[in-house]
Each structure stands twice: as structure tokens, then as C-alpha cells.
Amino acid sequence: MTLTAEQKDAVRCEDDLMLTACPGSGKTRVIISKLSRVIDEIRDTPRAVACITYTNAAVQEIESRLRHHLQPGDDAYYEICTIHSFCLNHIFRPFCHLIKGYKDGFKVLTPESAEFERHVTAICAQHGRYNLTFKDFEDFTQLRMDLDGRPVGIGIERGALTPEVATAYWKRIREAGFVDFANIIYYSLLLLRRRPEILSYVSAKFAWILVDEFQDTTDLQVEILALIAGKGRTRFLLVGDPCQSIFRFAGARPDLAEQFAGRITARTDKQLSGNFRSSSPIIAHANMLYPRTPPMTAVGRARKYAEQPVWQHGASAFTVITDYFLPAIEALEIPMGEAAILAPTWYSLFPLGRRLREYGVSIVGPGARPYRRNRQFAPLAEQVCGYLMEPRPDAIAGIERTLFNTLLDVTGRPHFDIFSYRGRVIVFRLLDHARRLHQIHMGGIAWLEAAAAAFSQVLIEKEYLTSGDKDVFAISVEEMKTDMRNNRVDLANLTIDDLGIYASPDAALKLATLHNAKGREYMAVAMIDLHEGRIPFYQARSAEDIEEAKRLFYVGVTRAKRFLLYVTDASDSRNGPTRFLRVGTGVGVVN
């Protein structure tokens, strides 16, 4: 693996290190190289290395790239996971019997599950709240504990929830045998604090812990890592960028990273300043927002592109996208699948997504799916249809993960043997049925109905489902059909490709919030709804609120490789360009 001098310096450092990495600087390459190096050191010992990253997508990317550098059997010496998975698998799951309410086990309550919606609806009804909106459910997903065990979160801060409601919600799901992501972290911290033997077990297991996106680590997560570090058995590589800290609503703060580095006396004198992603004109805009020492510079193939970032104002975001952005990327010969539309919130993306879909543009993102994704058969059907469209070997792992999650959702039990040889055989049997049914049923709806029945039968035969579950997928398909009718989808002309585009979105225009775009990159980016009051949000009052909005804007700018379009519109008389577009306070495209 070829590394720059900066990257080699970071990989070879044997001390605890907090590495500052600018956008597009190849930090994943550094992490993979460090993982490979550490595995060589600990091979044939009882120890391991953990790589903790922020999203499951990042986990999958690191895993797939690392496998090219390993020997057979090396998977016993490393684990790549999110912080929630790390705490779940190494602290909470092995020792949950020590916590009241979890002596008989537990199920993880995810925001996508029907149980989550049911428990939130019930607890709100008990407190006189009905007709819940998307934002109401989102407030519950963002609940967390502080270091003293008090409920906190953006919903509590703005008065939409009270600590009493949060406590009642957690009591309800605990009594139902569930644990959510917030409590996985909190209970893991309690176990490490109160049980020295558990802390000794975890610290003895991991010789190194590598943490990606460290600027987004919360106070509880930092405390967990600090307890492990305090045992003196584990070294740390912390990779992050304070200019991209955008998850304050989840408890992350840039200063926490600096405090932790000080606590463990980590080195902070190394950084990655070369940007392999973006063109020089785009990097120039990023440097206007956050100058660096040494400055961020274009060092990749994109440095040759000369297109300047452009601001366009129109009657609506849809008008600017269809009249300017889409023709521009076509003229530059940028494939639709390598372009994205980013916005500060979902609210402007939902209506835009619907209009683009009606306009005939294939999209992935809000407004793209004409049905709710938590319909139980939908994710599995999407993955399988994606494989039928493009049978790539790496798609099999995605089908396995989706099948595991689907069975967990239906049965409430984890079937880990899905990831074994037996599970792989079942996946290929499902794919065989899928291909055969595709030859018989060219229409998407007929295929969905037939596949739901065939898949259920296979999973019942293999005892993953019971006979009482045989209609679960069929009911899910009926719910999907109802959703699609409500969204005015022409069911008679729905195709397999329409379903598979959500699993294989290479040919579709991406729609995402600035938060969800973190860690991604696109040849062309249109940032919409760039209005004062949207970014920064009109309720932003403190200097830190404004600064985080600026960091969020910076993340959007640095997603683009070649073409960057700033979009404002006149859909509301109050709309005015955000300060981050203006001369003196931003990128200088507006006076």
C-alpha cells in the first residue's frame, strides 16, 4: 500500500497519537495500514486490535479493504465496529445479567423497528400526546444519558420532551426486554466503573484501539475509552478533524477530543494535510471557511479540474436542479450516480425527491422509496433485486446482513449462523428462487408477491421462521403496495430494477442531509436550502451553535470532487443567502 510521508509517519508512530486529518486525506488508508501493522505484532498472542468507527458503512469499507492485507486466520486478531457494537459485544452482552432487568437477556431496539414506533406511541399517549410526527420520533432516537445518568438530548433541550417522559420510555422498553443504543453505552460505562474485573478483561484483550472520526465521540464514549486507557495496557490511535465535528446534538464536542488526548498524554503533533478528493478551486473555498496550518492542498487526481464553485438562485430548488445542475453534470459527463444533492435538513429534500421522481430522475434518498423501509420484507427484497440487477460478489455480504436483521426483527432472536457456511447456502438458495421468479414474473409486484411466499417457505424449512410466521412477508408486501398506491406509483409498471435501485444506487442521483453525507464523496454536489435561518438554524443563539453550523456547511463543501453548486431559492419570501455564502463570513460568492 502506497503512503505519503505524512501517512507513513502516522502509521509508524508507536506512541498514543491523536492525528488531525483534513477532508479527503486518506485517513482510512492510514487506519488500514496501522491495523495491518498491529496485527503483525500481535499475531499468535491472546490479544487483539479494535477499530472503532462512526457508521456501519465505514465498518464495511474498512473490512473489505483490510482483507487484501491479511493472512488466513487473522480475523481472530481484530474487530472493526461502531462504538455501540464494541460496547454491546465486549461489555454489555457478556455482563448484562449483572444489570437489573436484563438477567434473562435482551433485544436491541432500533429506530427502524415497528416495536420502537409502538413503544414511543404508547408512552406519548400516556402523557397526552397523539398524532406524532417524524420529528417526535426523532427526538426519542436522540435521547441519551449524561455522565450522571440524567436524560439529555435535543428534544429535552428544546422542551419537546421532559426527563420524566424519557425515564418512563426507558423503563417501558426495559420491562419489555429491550435496550436502545443510548443505554448500551450508559450501562457499559456503569459496568466498567463498578466492576474492576470487567475493565481488566476489556483492557487485557485489546493491545490497540484505533478510533476513526474521533471528533464525534461523546462524553460517555470518551469516559469508556479513558477507563480502558487508565489500565495502561492499551495504546490508542485517534483520527479526526475538529473542523468536521457536527454531531453536537448527539453529545459530541470538539473539545472532548483534546481533553482525552491530554488525559492519556497522546501526541498531537502529526497531521494529514493533503486532500486526495477535491479540486483546487473547491479546496480554496474550504480554506476560506477553515484555514489550516499547514494549509490543506489538492494532491489527488481531482486537482486538475478547474471548474469554480457556483451560486445559483431560482424560483425553487427543483427549478435550479433541473434547469442548471442536471444539465451541468451532463455537459461535464459526470454520471448521475456520482452526483448528490445535500441539504441542512430532510424537510427540503422530501418534496424535492418526490418532484424529481415524478420528473423521471432515479434517486436514492428521501422521497425515493415510495414505501416505508421498515416494512419487514422491503430491505431484503431491495438487496436481492440489487443483486439481480448487478450480481457482484461483495453484494452477498449485504444480503447476509439484511437477512440477519430481518430475522431479528421478525423473531426477536439473533441468528448468528446466518454468517456461517449454513447461512451462505441459504442466501444462495434465496437467490436461486429470486432468479427463477424473475424469469416468470417480469413485473415488480408479481415478483414481490411470489418471492415473499418462496422466501418464507425456505426460512420455515430451515427453522429460522415458524409456521406462524409464514404470512409475515406477504403482509409486508401488501403494506408496501398500499404505501405505493398512496404515493401514486404505477404498480402495473413497477420493475425489478425500480426495487433494486435502492440497494444498488450506482445509477441514481443521491439525496442526503449534510449530516448523512459525512464520510462520503461525489463528483458533483448541489447544496440546497442555503438560507439564513436554515443554516445556521433560526433557533441558533450561542457562538457554538453558529460555529457548528459553519462546520456542517464545511462538510458539505468538502464532499465535492469536481463540481460544486450552491443553491438558494425564492420559495419563501424570508429566504436570504446564508452568511456562509457571503464575503467576509463565508466562501464569498454573495456580497
Side-chain angles (χ1 to χ4, degrees):
M1 184 183 296
T2 303
L3 300 176
T4 67
E6 288 181 331
Q7 292 169 341
K8 287 178 182 177
D9 195 27
V11 170
R12 293 169 178 170
C13 181
E14 294 299 315
D15 301 318
D16 291 330
L17 172 65
M18 187 168 77
L19 177 68
T20 301
C22 78
S25 59
K27 64 183 178 64
T28 302
R29 183 178 289 254
V30 169
I31 289 169
I32 292 168
S33 297
K34 187 68 174 184
L35 271 168
S36 239
R37 187 182 181 94
V38 173
I39 290 169
D40 284 342
E41 294 173 0
I42 63 175
R43 191 179 288 114
D44 298 325
T45 77
R47 309 202 74 189
V49 55
C51 177
I52 298 173
T53 189
Y54 200 78
T55 66
N56 287 320
V59 169
Q60 293 162 23
E61 179 187 2
I62 294 172
E63 279 184 337
S64 63
R65 290 170 61 178
L66 178 65
R67 290 189 181 279
H68 297 292
H69 305 277
L70 298 179
Q71 299 179 14
D74 276 354
D75 53 351
Y77 301 108
Y78 72 90
E79 178 165 356
I80 305 166
C81 56
T82 64
I83 185 66
H84 295 96
S85 294
F86 178 84
C87 291
L88 178 66
N89 293 326
H90 298 288
I91 306 172
F92 185 75
R93 178 174 280 126
F95 304 106
C96 66
H97 61 280
L98 300 173
I99 299 173
K100 182 180 179 181
Y102 295 109
K103 295 185 184 301
D104 298 321
F106 63 92
K107 294 172 286 185
V108 177
L109 186 65
T110 65
E112 296 81 17
S113 67
E115 285 88 354
F116 171 75
E117 185 174 333
R118 179 167 56 84
H119 286 297
V120 169
T121 302
I123 208 69
C124 286
Q126 291 176 13
H127 290 80
R129 293 178 57 190
Y130 305 94
N131 302 317
L132 303 181
T133 66
F134 170 80
K135 184 61 178 173
D136 294 320
F137 289 104
E138 189 176 54
D139 286 337
F140 279 85
T141 68
Q142 295 174 355
L143 280 174
R144 55 190 176 82
M145 296 277 200
D146 67 11
L147 289 168
D148 298 316
R150 294 173 300 216
V152 291
I154 193 69
I156 292 176
E157 288 178 18
R158 64 184 183 87
L161 292 177
T162 65
E164 291 73 27
V165 170
T167 301
Y169 163 71
W170 282 324
K171 181 175 184 291
R172 177 186 175 90
I173 65 171
R174 184 174 64 250
E175 290 174 347
F178 288 101
V179 65
D180 65 1
F181 292 142
N183 276 294
I184 288 172
I185 299 295
Y186 179 67
Y187 286 133
S188 295
L189 176 59
L190 286 188
L191 286 166
L192 294 181
R193 279 176 167 174
R194 297 176 178 177
R195 297 279 184 159
E197 68 276 15
I198 297 176
L199 179 58
S200 293
Y201 158 75
V202 175
S203 62
K205 181 169 185 177
F206 294 103
W208 279 86
I209 295 179
L210 319 182
V211 187
D212 189 15
E213 304 289 1
F214 191 65
Q215 76 280 350
D216 292 323
T217 306
T218 68
D219 51 359
L220 266 69
Q221 296 165 13
V222 164
E223 193 63 25
I224 287 171
L225 297 175
L227 288 171
I228 296 171
K231 300 297 289 186
R233 299 169 176 168
T234 307
R235 284 178 284 177
F236 289 81
L237 170 62
L238 316 166
V239 185
D241 180 9
C243 298
Q244 297 184 75
S245 179
I246 59 172
F247 293 99
R248 185 162 164 254
F249 65 84
R253 301 196 320 265
D255 61 296
L256 289 173
E258 296 177 9
Q259 292 173 13
F260 179 73
R263 288 174 71 176
I264 68 170
T265 62
R267 294 180 61 173
T268 59
D269 58 331
K270 300 182 186 300
Q271 53 191 300
L272 306 180
S273 61
N275 183 307
F276 290 88
R277 175 185 301 150
S278 302
S279 68
S280 293
I282 290 171
I283 286 177
H285 274 224
N287 284 337
M288 280 189 275
L289 294 165
Y290 284 108
R292 295 171 180 266
T293 304
M296 178 168 61
T297 56
V299 295
R301 294 178 181 177
R303 68 183 183 278
K304 65 184 180 181
Y305 297 126
E307 290 81 14
Q308 293 290 329
V310 180
W311 168 51
Q312 284 287 319
H313 182 80
S316 67
F318 175 77
T319 301
V320 177
I321 294 299
T322 54
D323 290 356
Y324 190 87
F325 184 64
L326 297 181
I329 65 175
E330 183 178 4
L332 293 170
E333 298 183 342
I334 295 174
M336 189 79 78
E338 295 182 26
I341 300 172
L342 310 181
T345 68
W346 290 122
Y347 302 117
S348 51
L349 289 170
F350 274 114
L352 176 62
R354 292 192 198 98
R355 292 194 67 183
L356 287 171
R357 192 176 68 225
E358 293 165 359
Y359 190 71
V361 177
S362 294
I363 62 171
V364 173
R369 285 184 179 87
Y371 49 81
R372 296 176 63 181
R373 195 174 189 272
N374 64 359
R375 302 307 187 195
Q376 285 173 318
F377 192 55
L380 183 58
E382 289 175 7
Q383 290 288 336
V384 170
C385 289
Y387 185 83
L388 295 179
M389 288 171 57
E390 186 180 359
R392 295 176 292 107
D394 59 331
I396 298 296
I399 296 173
E400 288 175 340
R401 285 190 294 270
T402 304
L403 179 59
F404 173 86
N405 291 331
T406 299
L407 291 172
L408 179 63
D409 189 33
V410 172
T411 67
R413 300 188 306 278
H415 295 274
F416 293 107
D417 63 340
I418 287 296
F419 303 107
S420 68
Y421 174 79
R422 179 172 185 261
R424 181 62 59 92
V425 169
I426 290 170
V427 166
F428 277 102
R429 186 172 174 188
L430 296 180
L431 289 174
D432 185 57
H433 278 288
R435 290 191 197 93
R436 180 176 53 82
L437 294 173
H438 188 203
Q439 295 170 354
I440 300 170
H441 304 288
M442 299 303 292
I445 294 300
W447 182 89
L448 273 174
E449 293 170 339
F455 286 18
S456 294
Q457 186 59 41
V458 169
L459 295 172
I460 289 171
E461 289 175 4
K462 297 300 180 181
E463 299 183 342
Y464 287 100
L465 297 178
T466 67
S467 57
D469 299 319
K470 68 182 180 65
D471 295 325
V472 167
F473 290 164
I475 292 170
S476 176
V477 170
E478 291 304 311
E479 293 170 340
M480 291 168 67
K481 288 162 61 177
T482 299
D483 289 343
M484 287 188 274
R485 290 191 192 98
N486 292 338
N487 283 299
R488 302 190 299 279
V489 173
D490 182 2
L491 298 187
N493 292 314
L494 187 77
T495 67
I496 294 288
D497 287 5
D498 292 328
L499 295 168
I501 197 75
Y502 309 126
S504 300
D506 294 342
L509 179 66
K510 315 299 188 296
L511 273 65
T513 64
L514 294 170
H515 282 102
N516 285 354
K518 180 75 170 60
R520 303 183 184 277
E521 56 185 35
Y522 313 94
M523 285 297 292
V525 168
M527 294 171 64
I528 69 168
D529 206 9
L530 298 181
H531 303 114
E532 194 75 12
R534 287 291 192 182
I535 182 167
F537 192 55
Y538 72 92
Q539 290 180 328
R541 295 288 184 267
S542 69
E544 179 49 40
D545 289 339
I546 304 299
E547 196 63 24
E548 183 169 42
K550 183 178 177 181
R551 295 194 294 267
L552 186 63
F553 185 89
Y554 179 84
V555 164
V557 169
T558 55
R559 299 310 94 194
K561 295 182 180 180
R562 179 177 184 179
F563 181 60
L564 175 60
L565 175 66
Y566 304 114
V567 180
T568 57
D569 64 73
S571 60
D572 189 310
S573 60
R574 296 169 293 181
N575 284 353
T578 173
R579 68 189 72 183
F580 305 132
L581 292 176
R582 297 186 178 277
V583 174
T585 56
V587 293
V589 295
V590 179
N591 290 322

